[in-house]
């Protein structure tokens, strides 16, 4: 199995801050890396796929980068609606696996 | 716009079978993968398995197996009914550890296997 490790598990930030979340895969996954945002009580929502491609309708303040084993999700200027939990997910292997999540909280 | 809606019992007794249906509207189930994913209360996401519209399935082996006629059989079964645009999930021999919100989601080749549409999820509690 490919293990996905996110860091940090939580962070506190203010409106307007630049936020970076990292995800590391236990094996190379090329760019088969996706990011989701989950608000409380809601289903996850796809933000970025193929490591850096913004899903339709997602604000441009979200960006992704990386390949192989190391990946990053960046929010350039945090907005009130961005306080949520973020998950990375690898779709390289048939058995897709998720990171444990990063909760972005109000500072 | 594609929409997914999970339905099924919210309470299942231990050792019984959990059965859920995902109804897809606004699009065909053809040419896509259809996944089940679950999330125990307060925890992260776990992929359960998927079915391709052609019927090919893959399951998460960590969900365990049962012995059926002397061979191991996954606890999970996913099937599709294209005439009804429905994807079903069956999970046998449930325990409290199977208590979770269950989501169905679409995986598409255009998004490199990511899940681009999700249902709203349905909470299933395993309890006597």
């Amino acid at each position: 199995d490919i293990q996905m490790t996110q860091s940090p598990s939580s962070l506190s930030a203010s409106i307007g801050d630049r936020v970076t979340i990292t995800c590391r895969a236990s094996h190379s996954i090329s760019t088969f890396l996706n990011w989701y945002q989950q608000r409380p009580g809601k289903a996850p929502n796809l933000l970025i796929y193929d490591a850096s491609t913004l899903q339709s309708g997602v604000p441009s303040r979200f960006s992704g980068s990386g390949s192989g084993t190391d990946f990053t999700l960046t929010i350039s200027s945090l907005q009130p609606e961005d306080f949520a939990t973020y998950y990375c997910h690898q779709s390289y292997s048939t058995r897709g696996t998720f990171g444990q999540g990063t909760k972005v909280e109000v500072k | 716009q594609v929409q997914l809606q999970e339905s099924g019992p919210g309470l299942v007794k231990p050792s019984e079978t959990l059965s859920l249906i995902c109804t897809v509207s606004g699009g065909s189930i053809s040419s896509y993968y259809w996944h089940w994913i679950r999330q125990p209360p307060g925890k992260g996401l776990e992929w359960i398995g998927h079915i391709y519209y052609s019927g090919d399935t893959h399951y998460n082996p960590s969900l365990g197996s049962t012995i059926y006629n002397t061979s191991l059989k996954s606890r999970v079964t996913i099937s599709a009914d294209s005439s009804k645009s429905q994807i079903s999930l069956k999970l046998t021999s449930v325990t409290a550890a199977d208590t979770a919100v269950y989501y169905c989601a679409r995986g598409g080749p255009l998004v490199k296997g990511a899940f681009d549409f999700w249902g709203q999820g349905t909470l299933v509690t395993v309890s006597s």
Side-chain angles (χ1 to χ4, degrees):
Chain A
D1 282 358
I2 299 175
Q3 308 300 320
M4 306 301 294
T5 304
Q6 276 182 247
S7 60
S9 55
S10 65
L11 64 90
S12 298
S14 301
I15 302 299
D17 282 355
R18 182 181 182 88
V19 169
T20 299
I21 299 168
T22 64
C23 183
R24 175 163 288 177
S26 60
H27 305 288
S28 177
I29 57 171
S30 183
T31 57
F32 286 83
L33 191 283
N34 315 299
W35 291 98
Y36 303 86
Q37 176 193 66
Q38 186 178 34
R39 297 191 176 107
K42 300 294 186 181
N45 180 51
L46 178 64
L47 298 175
I48 287 169
Y49 64 93
D50 195 20
S52 61
T53 304
L54 204 62
Q55 173 67 339
S56 175
V58 174
S60 59
R61 63 181 179 274
F62 291 94
S63 64
S65 64
S67 67
T69 60
D70 293 310
F71 302 88
T72 300
L73 172 70
T74 300
I75 309 172
S76 60
S77 177
L78 198 65
Q79 298 302 301
E81 60 269 30
D82 300 338
F83 292 101
T85 300
Y86 295 84
Y87 292 93
C88 63
H89 159 244
Q90 64 82 12
S91 50
Y92 179 83
S93 65
T94 300
R95 177 183 170 182
T97 45
F98 293 89
Q100 79 277 19
T102 296
K103 187 174 184 179
V104 177
E105 299 175 299
V106 177
K107 193 170 189 178
Chain B
Q1 178 80 329
V2 174
Q3 292 186 315
L4 289 69
Q5 175 79 49
E6 303 91 348
S7 59
L11 181 65
V12 180
K13 290 182 168 56
S15 80
E16 295 190 347
T17 296
L18 178 160
S19 295
L20 297 175
I21 289 175
C22 173
T23 302
V24 180
S25 58
S28 169
I29 68 170
S30 298
S31 303
Y32 292 98
Y33 288 87
W34 300 93
H35 300 258
W36 286 96
I37 296 141
R38 69 180 184 179
Q39 185 172 37
K43 296 188 177 180
L45 299 161
E46 179 180 36
W47 178 78
I48 297 170
H50 74 228
I51 187 167
Y52 191 47
Y53 78 103
S54 62
D56 188 31
T57 55
H58 284 91
Y59 304 132
N60 186 340
S62 74
L63 269 74
S65 305
T66 56
I67 296 176
Y68 181 78
N69 285 347
T70 75
S71 62
L72 283 178
K73 178 175 161 47
S74 175
R75 287 202 301 137
V76 181
T77 302
I78 298 174
S79 58
D81 185 338
S82 58
S83 67
K84 297 181 179 178
S85 291
Q86 290 181 336
I87 312 297
S88 70
L89 169 70
K90 292 189 187 300
L91 180 64
T92 62
S93 305
V94 297
T95 69
D98 296 309
T99 293
V101 175
Y102 285 76
Y103 296 100
C104 59
R106 189 183 83 169
L110 295 179
V111 288
K112 294 284 287 284
F115 308 140
D116 58 355
F117 288 95
W118 294 66
Q120 86 284 359
T122 186
L123 174 63
V124 179
T125 301
V126 178
S127 174
S128 55

